[in-house]
Amino acid sequence: MPATRFSRRSFLEIAGAGAVGAVLGGCSDGDGQSSGGTKTIRWWHIANTDPMLSEWAAMATRFEASHPGVKFKITPLENEAFKTKLTTNIQAGDPPDIFHTWGGGVLFQQAEAGMVKDLTSDVGGWKDTLIPTALDAYGTGGKTYASPVDTGMVGFWYNKELFAKAGVNSPPATWADYLEAVRRLKAAGTTPIALAGKEKWPGHYYWAYLAMRVGGLAALQQAAVDKNFSTPDFVAAGTRLAELVALQPFQTGFLAAGYSTADGQAATVGNGKAAMELMGQWAPVVQRDNSAGKKGLGDKLGFFAFPAVDGGKGKGTDVFGGGGGFAVGKDAPPEAIEFLKYIAQPENARIEAKTAGVLPVVAAAADAVTDPNLKLVGKALSESTGFQLYLDQAYAPAVGQQVNDSVAELLAGKTSPEKVAQAITTAAKQG
């Protein structure tokens, strides 16, 4: 998928809808060369609304000024439109010169197909300026295939006022406590949870986190190796989620709701019509931008980590999330890689952190994080004991899609925890 105007499903996911056309340059869509000898860099990203829509364009303009003969053709796209368009171009063997990636299995599959450049030696030039875990999602087998730009985690963003009115005086620390909080919110006449059921990826967060809490990170990692998600721990994760579904905690019409639409998940929370959402660190900005007064919840917004599961093997301090980065297409000119180094400079990383509300991967840019909500996420990340990338990115695309599809059916009450586990296992075994 992927605050962030990147996020995974902005990073992700992100505010605004609809694809926007090219912003800069009128050069060809070819292999990085126009008829006049100008090198055209085709750059696709998911910051399709301001402020980062304009900030990325400004960075490209500054780079052009210091690199005569280089011109950018920028295509900003909404998250789902980006994935569809990128898949089409990848299948045609024509990847953009620079494009957004969340890393993991999708990126590695693109690498195996020869669609992206191996950036191992290039990123080595600025690797030491990054935080320790920055490259984890973008490398495999000792090779790196993208340069990160931001990082973060998923957690619960909640309305403190609505929690207090329902008698929920502190964030729930266990799954049992969480279910009780949902019951109290419903009893108080409040919709407990907003969910973008139509887009599916937000729903998979629940099953993924529960799998982490029940089975531990090792279970998720081993399942990828064994291609087996039918173990008792995964079924138990689905059973815990079914407990939540049975409480009917989501807003009316959630199965048809989008994420960043006017009446979608983010807006429902931002307008005070639901008490919480499970979302990444970009949530406050998307809530704000999609709320009626463009103000969001302000000081009423709080954050808490996904609760522990009693008897589970996973640690409550293990986190789930990811970040955004940029990969370089196979036919990109050398200047495309130079641009990645350029945006990794502290001064540019600070612009992104201040403007888009993201946690920078450039260590020196940490001082640019001033937003109190983002600081909460940063604190949780700094205290984390383990990290799991979004499952629909960590695993092969077919497996990730099956996770999203099967969990969506469970959330809709149309399947069982056992069938979810089996369907994902089948997808994994089929490759």
Side-chain angles (χ1 to χ4, degrees):
M1 42 170 20
T4 75
R5 279 275 183 314
F6 313 88
S7 100
R8 152 210 139 86
R9 319 279 300 161
S10 146
F11 221 118
L12 88 143
E13 4 301 341
I14 282 302
V20 183
V23 174
L24 292 177
C27 305
S28 73
D29 279 331
D31 60 1
Q33 296 287 340
S34 70
S35 58
T38 297
K39 292 184 177 180
T40 302
I41 297 177
R42 294 178 298 161
W43 181 17
W44 294 9
H45 62 65
I46 59 174
N48 68 312
T49 61
D50 277 333
M52 280 310 295
L53 175 65
S54 297
E55 290 293 349
W56 279 140
M59 283 191 206
T61 298
R62 291 194 293 273
F63 186 85
E64 288 175 340
S66 60
H67 293 76
V70 171
K71 293 295 180 182
F72 279 85
K73 183 169 185 178
I74 304 179
T75 302
L77 295 162
E78 179 271 334
N79 183 74
E80 297 304 317
F82 165 80
K83 290 188 292 180
T84 298
K85 186 174 177 63
L86 180 64
T87 297
T88 298
N89 275 55
I90 291 290
Q91 290 175 342
D94 182 32
D97 298 311
I98 300 174
F99 61 91
H100 180 90
T101 180
W102 294 282
V106 175
L107 175 63
F108 304 152
Q109 192 172 79
Q110 293 165 349
E112 290 176 5
M115 291 293 107
V116 297
K117 290 184 182 292
D118 177 352
L119 301 181
T120 308
S121 60
D122 300 293
V123 173
W126 61 91
K127 179 179 179 180
D128 290 344
T129 69
L130 307 178
I131 61 176
T133 61
L135 293 171
D136 288 357
Y138 309 99
T140 183
K143 296 183 181 296
T144 300
Y145 295 102
S147 182
V149 292
D150 53 58
T151 188
M153 66 173 279
V154 171
F156 281 106
W157 295 94
Y158 74 106
N159 188 316
K160 297 176 184 177
E161 186 175 88
L162 292 180
F163 265 50
K165 287 182 178 179
V168 183
N169 299 315
S170 61
T174 68
W175 185 246
D177 292 340
Y178 181 77
L179 295 179
E180 179 58 26
V182 168
R183 294 187 187 97
R184 291 191 180 190
L185 287 162
K186 287 202 71 173
T190 296
T191 296
I193 306 169
L195 181 65
K198 179 181 179 181
E199 297 190 25
K200 297 183 179 179
W201 57 264
H204 110 275
Y205 291 168
Y206 289 86
W207 187 84
Y209 248 130
L210 284 166
M212 285 174 58
R213 296 294 188 254
V214 173
L217 291 176
L220 290 165
Q221 295 162 358
Q222 192 61 44
V225 175
D226 297 341
K227 298 185 178 181
N228 181 18
F229 293 81
S230 297
T231 62
D233 286 340
F234 286 105
V235 175
T239 300
R240 298 285 82 76
L241 181 53
E243 294 172 349
L244 176 64
V245 173
L247 298 179
Q248 298 183 326
F250 309 117
Q251 82 274 27
T252 301
F254 78 93
L255 290 174
Y259 170 59
S260 58
T261 54
D263 58 350
Q265 175 175 329
T268 301
V269 177
N271 288 324
K273 295 181 178 180
M276 62 182 143
E277 65 170 331
L278 181 61
M279 191 49 62
Q281 70 286 346
W282 56 88
V285 169
V286 187
Q287 289 174 14
R288 180 198 68 199
D289 290 352
N290 287 280
S291 64
K294 304 297 181 183
K295 295 181 180 179
L297 296 178
D299 293 340
K300 292 189 292 185
L301 184 65
F303 176 84
F304 64 92
F306 197 94
V309 173
D310 290 334
K313 303 171 188 173
K315 298 178 180 178
T317 47
D318 288 344
V319 301
F320 173 78
F326 289 117
V328 176
K330 64 182 180 68
D331 298 322
E335 287 80 3
I337 298 175
E338 290 183 32
F339 183 67
L340 297 191
K341 180 178 181 180
Y342 175 72
I343 61 177
Q345 300 304 305
E347 60 270 26
N348 289 323
R350 288 190 181 97
I351 290 174
E352 185 191 9
K354 290 179 179 178
T355 304
V358 300
L359 288 167
V361 295
V362 178
D367 57 3
V369 179
T370 58
D371 180 83
N373 291 312
L374 205 56
K375 284 186 174 183
L376 287 175
V377 178
K379 183 175 186 294
L381 277 169
S382 68
E383 297 173 351
S384 65
T385 52
F387 190 90
Q388 173 62 51
L389 180 66
Y390 311 110
L391 298 191
D392 57 355
Q393 296 298 316
Y395 298 143
V399 178
Q401 186 60 56
Q402 190 62 58
V403 170
N404 285 348
D405 291 344
S406 293
V407 173
E409 290 186 356
L410 183 62
L411 290 166
K414 295 180 178 179
T415 192
S416 68
E418 292 82 5
K419 289 182 179 179
V420 169
Q422 186 54 56
I424 298 171
T425 295
T426 298
K429 291 186 181 299
Q430 290 177 343

